[in-house]
Every structure is written in structure tokens, then in C-alpha cells.
Amino acid sequence: MMKKVLVAGLVVVLAIAGFMAFKMLQPPPEDLDLRAEHPSVNNLYTVSFLPEAGAAQVGPIQTFLVTVKDADGNLVSGATVAVDGSMPQHGHGLPSVPQTEGEIQPGVYRVDGVKFSMGGWWEFKLVIDGPKGNDSATFNLVLE
């Protein structure tokens, strides 16, 4: 009886491992929105999310810049921006904890401490709390 339980457990573990490997090796969705600037979910803001150094890289700690504009295209000062990142296909977050260091110029917010541990599809969720209200925006990056 114990042998059957162990075999059944091993089969379950192998099935889960196989499913995870299959999921991790899939390419990102073809319709993935890779725009670096787009409207927030409730259209309160237009938000951009770009690496300060020009191109995101696997390995080093990096800084990203978030630019927030209102519906009329005016830069939004005095907002707070929270950032979180993950790899949707792998089920894990960043190996670092990005921190918004504040507004470095009107409407531009610096996010320090972004580190990518591997290539693939990364998703960033930004929450903006500004004069027009609370809203969010999601950005996708695919690193080689």
C-alpha cells in the first residue's frame, strides 16, 4: 500500500513539474502590449515607463523613469507612484524591491532598484495616486 502512495505522489510531482516547465518555455502572448506609454486603466492619466539608461538589461540594478500626464497632456506633479514587477509565466516576482524615489522633475518619477534575473516576459504594475485620483497602468517588457 505504501509503495502505491509513493508512486502516486511521484506521478503528481512529475506532472506538476512538467506543467511548470511547459508553461515557462512558452513564448509571451502574441498580442502582448509592449508600448512604453499608454493611458491608465481609468483614463485619468497617460503613463510612460522607461529605463533611464535607454535599454533594460538582465543582471544589473537599474533605474526606470515614470512620466505621468493628465488627459490634456500636462505633466502631473505631486503624485505618488508604486511599482511591482513579476514574470507571469514563471509565477515569481523581481529579485529586488523597486522603490519610487520621488519626483525628479515635474511629472517624472524615478524608480530605483529594478533587477531582472533572467530574460523573458516581465510585467510591471504601477499604481498612481495623483490629483485626478487613484489609477493604475500595466507595462510589459520582453528581455532577451
Side-chain angles (χ1 to χ4, degrees):
M1 179 66 167
M2 185 63 136
K3 189 174 183 179
K4 287 183 181 181
V5 170
L6 288 173
V7 169
L10 180 60
V11 168
V12 169
V13 167
L14 289 174
I16 291 170
F19 174 76
M20 292 302 293
F22 172 75
K23 188 175 177 183
M24 290 171 66
L25 294 174
Q26 289 182 321
E30 289 184 23
D31 61 346
L32 197 60
D33 184 354
L34 296 174
R35 292 179 296 166
E37 179 179 87
H38 57 79
S40 57
V41 171
N42 297 314
N43 292 309
L44 297 179
Y45 307 107
T46 297
V47 185
S48 70
F49 183 70
L50 292 164
E52 187 174 45
Q57 300 174 27
V58 174
I61 299 281
Q62 296 160 81
T63 299
F64 276 69
L65 299 177
V66 176
T67 302
V68 181
K69 298 177 184 175
D70 64 18
D72 297 322
N74 301 310
L75 292 166
V76 175
S77 285
T80 58
V81 178
V83 178
D84 191 25
S86 68
M87 286 193 93
Q89 291 177 305
H90 291 207
H92 65 79
L94 291 164
S96 62
V97 180
Q99 298 293 318
T100 304
E101 296 301 323
E103 190 171 8
I104 60 169
Q105 57 185 347
V108 181
Y109 303 83
R110 176 178 278 131
V111 178
D112 289 327
V114 178
K115 181 177 173 69
F116 300 102
S117 54
M118 62 179 60
W121 169 29
W122 290 90
E123 180 180 75
F124 285 86
K125 296 184 181 196
L126 283 63
V127 176
I128 301 103
D129 187 9
K132 301 284 184 181
N134 197 348
D135 208 346
S136 63
T138 300
F139 292 88
N140 298 290
L141 297 170
V142 177
L143 301 179
E144 298 296 321

